[in-house]
Amino acid sequence: MARRAVGADRGMAYVYLLIAIAAEVTATFCLTLSNGFTRPGPSCVTVVGYGVAFYSLSLALRAIPTGVAYAIWSGVGTVLITLVCRVVLGQKLDLAAVVGMTLIICGVLVMNLLSGGGQHG
């Protein structure tokens, strides 16, 4: 059975999770720029970025429960990539998109701050 980290390791797990989020957002943005993997630079960043993202996520899962880590990773990643595309590419966000992103962040906060599901059994 795999050892679950505690204490200081849990803090490091959140650092790994932040790295996973940053790598995934970078990879997803470069996926857009890769033009169907026809541009080598963005294509390479995409492949390496997703590799770093999944490896870092796997390290985070040593101390953070899978459901909580995945909610943070996917939720924060979704909001960040939407904002990056808005700022860099000028993609439009309507009111429904802004409300949806707000609900995603609220959901992640509820899971982390109010739910007992964030604790290992």
Side-chain angles (χ1 to χ4, degrees), residues 64-86:
I64 304 170
T66 304
V68 171
Y70 192 76
I72 295 169
W73 182 61
S74 61
V76 173
T78 298
V79 171
L80 285 178
I81 192 60
T82 302
L83 294 175
V84 166
C85 288
R86 168 69 181 107

Side-chain angles (χ1 to χ4, degrees), residues 76-102:
V76 173
T78 298
V79 171
L80 285 178
I81 192 60
T82 302
L83 294 175
V84 166
C85 288
R86 168 69 181 107
V87 170
V88 178
L89 301 177
Q91 293 181 355
K92 302 295 182 209
L93 297 176
D94 59 12
L95 180 60
V98 173
V99 169
M101 289 190 308
T102 302

Side-chain angles (χ1 to χ4, degrees), residues 54-71:
F54 283 111
Y55 179 69
S56 298
L57 182 61
S58 76
L59 296 177
L61 293 177
R62 291 178 175 174
I64 304 170
T66 304
V68 171
Y70 192 76

